[in-house]
């Protein structure tokens, strides 16, 4: 069974540009999460989808970040316009949604904003 | 103050040693406790999952939770060079989002 996949693995953009990150969860997993780790800090929650609905977006830093999950399958996270402080590793995770379920993480997308 | 505190290390031990990794937390709402292992340039991989105070053993790994002290530990017995990685504690309550510690970088020397 394929795990969580993320694309691209690495993105380098200039301040002010737009970047879109993609996450493909494990097939059948209704729950999808975005997290990020900025340099020197812990991994922090961004938002949580249940199928195509945003269940919790309390971790989104500001309105430059837009997440979508059309059809309840893959998800995209767009940063527009990117700022220097957006640099970090963006992780996606998925789970079945059981009470004590496991979140399976993808390899992450390393975003560098110059 | 961070909700979860974890000593970042780095921690370096000889092969075969017992490793002890620890986290403390401040949020009483946390009910489920996890340890993830992360190799360089990879995503976190779940090692242990517990939801009650006490010990849980899986092979060379033992997870310990003390809710009264808000303290969790991971013990690795007979450590191997392949255990060299960053170990992350994580926890959650009724909300599904995970709150992570900063991670401890472990190196097991052959």
């Amino acid at each position: 069974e394929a795990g969580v996949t993320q694309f691209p693995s690495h993105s380098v953009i200039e301040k002010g540009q737009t970047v879109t990150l993609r996450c493909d969860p494990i097939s059948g997993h209704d729950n999808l999460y975005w997290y990020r780790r900025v340099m020197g800090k812990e991994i922090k929650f961004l938002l949580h989808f249940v199928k195509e609905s945003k269940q919790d977006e309390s971790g989104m830093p500001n309105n430059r970040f837009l997440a979508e999950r059309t059809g309840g399958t893959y998800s995209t996270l767009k940063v527009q316009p990117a700022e220097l402080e957006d640099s970090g590793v963006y992780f996606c995770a998925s789970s079945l949604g059981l009470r004590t379920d496991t979140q399976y993480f993808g390899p992450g997308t390393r975003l560098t904003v110059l | 103050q961070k909700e979860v505190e974890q000593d970042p290390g780095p921690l370096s031990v000889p092969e075969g040693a017992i490793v002890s990794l620890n986290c403390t937390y401040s949020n009483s709402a946390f009910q489920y406790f996890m340890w993830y292992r992360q190799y360089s340039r990879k995503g976190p991989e779940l090692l242990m999952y517990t939801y009650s105070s006490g010990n849980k053993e899986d092979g060379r790994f033992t997870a310990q939770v003390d809710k009264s002290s808000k303290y969790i530990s991971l013990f690795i017995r007979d450590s191997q060079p392949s255990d060299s990685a960053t170990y992350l504690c994580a926890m959650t309550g009724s909300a599904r989002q995970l709150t992570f510690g900063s991670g401890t970088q472990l190196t097991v020397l052959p």
Side-chain angles (χ1 to χ4, degrees):
Chain A
E1 178 183 296
V4 177
T5 57
Q6 293 187 245
F7 182 83
S9 59
H10 193 182
S11 179
V12 181
I13 62 172
E14 293 192 351
K15 176 182 172 181
Q17 289 186 320
T18 298
V19 64
T20 300
L21 314 181
R22 173 170 170 146
C23 169
D24 285 77
I26 293 172
S27 178
H29 282 193
D30 286 340
N31 289 259
L32 187 149
Y33 306 81
W34 284 98
Y35 294 85
R36 77 170 177 180
R37 183 169 196 163
V38 297
M39 183 70 73
K41 302 282 189 179
E42 63 273 15
I43 297 173
K44 285 202 168 179
F45 167 79
L46 295 178
L47 87 159
H48 170 205
F49 283 99
V50 178
K51 296 185 180 179
E52 67 273 11
S53 299
K54 291 176 185 174
Q55 182 77 13
D56 181 355
E57 51 184 331
S58 61
M60 295 287 263
N62 52 60
N63 59 10
R64 294 186 294 104
F65 289 75
L66 176 64
E68 294 181 326
R69 191 181 182 195
T70 306
T73 54
Y74 70 91
S75 175
T76 58
L77 180 64
K78 180 189 289 188
V79 185
Q80 179 182 27
E83 298 289 345
L84 298 179
E85 64 265 25
D86 301 332
S87 295
V89 182
Y90 290 75
F91 292 104
C92 175
S94 72
S95 74
L96 283 170
L98 303 176
R99 187 166 176 266
T100 57
D101 70 347
T102 298
Q103 293 185 26
Y104 296 89
F105 281 77
T109 293
R110 185 171 298 272
L111 175 64
T112 302
V113 183
L114 302 175
Chain B
Q1 183 188 1
K2 292 181 183 178
E3 286 188 285
V4 179
E5 296 280 357
Q6 182 175 8
D7 185 344
L11 182 61
S12 185
V13 301
E15 183 175 356
I18 296 175
V19 176
S20 173
L21 304 167
N22 311 293
C23 288
T24 59
Y25 63 96
S26 57
N27 189 343
S28 299
F30 290 143
Q31 303 169 41
Y32 307 103
F33 305 91
M34 288 137 274
W35 286 95
Y36 281 84
R37 177 175 61 195
Q38 186 179 17
Y39 292 113
S40 180
R41 306 284 174 162
K42 302 286 187 182
E45 170 197 12
L46 183 68
L47 273 180
M48 300 287 285
Y49 190 124
T50 58
Y51 52 87
S52 58
S53 284
N55 293 354
K56 180 178 180 180
E57 195 173 310
D58 184 359
R60 296 184 296 110
F61 299 90
T62 299
Q64 190 174 77
V65 173
D66 182 347
K67 289 187 177 180
S68 62
S69 300
K70 295 189 177 65
Y71 187 89
I72 69 171
S73 299
L74 178 71
F75 299 95
I76 308 174
R77 290 184 299 280
D78 187 25
S79 56
Q80 302 295 309
S82 58
D83 295 328
S84 298
T86 296
Y87 289 79
L88 302 153
C89 64
M91 43 201 82
T92 185
S94 55
R96 300 297 182 132
Q97 59 179 274
L98 298 178
T99 300
F100 283 90
S102 55
T104 300
Q105 186 179 341
L106 171 69
T107 301
V108 181
L109 302 169

